[in-house]
Amino acid sequence: MVGSVGLLAAAIAIGLGALGAGIGNGLIVSKTVEGIARQPEARGALQTVMFIGVALVEAIPIIAAVIAFIVLNK
């Protein structure tokens, strides 16, 4: 059985992971839109790099969920 400290740790891990991913995705997309507005001809290259960045940032909440499950199973 998991204690209240374990539940709190899992909740904090999930919450901070989601918060960090949300902020990161917002920054990535806003800078990409800004770059496309400045140089429309670079749209394809910027979007490719943006999608790679978003995929890497989305790994953060997945890792946080794994950590939360590990904490809950101890």
Side-chain angles (χ1 to χ4, degrees):
M1 183 157 221
V2 178
S4 61
V5 174
L7 291 174
L8 183 63
I12 289 172
I14 294 291
L16 289 179
L19 180 68
I23 292 170
N25 281 336
L27 289 173
I28 290 170
V29 173
S30 71
K31 295 300 182 180
T32 302
V33 169
E34 184 179 321
I36 291 172
R38 290 177 186 253
Q39 280 189 303
E41 66 275 3
R43 179 180 181 194
L46 289 173
Q47 279 185 336
T48 301
V49 172
M50 179 193 73
F51 288 134
I52 293 170
V54 167
L56 292 174
V57 168
E58 284 299 320
I60 294 170
I62 295 170
I63 293 169
V66 169
I67 290 171
F69 286 132
I70 290 171
V71 168
L72 290 176
N73 284 331
K74 284 192 176 182

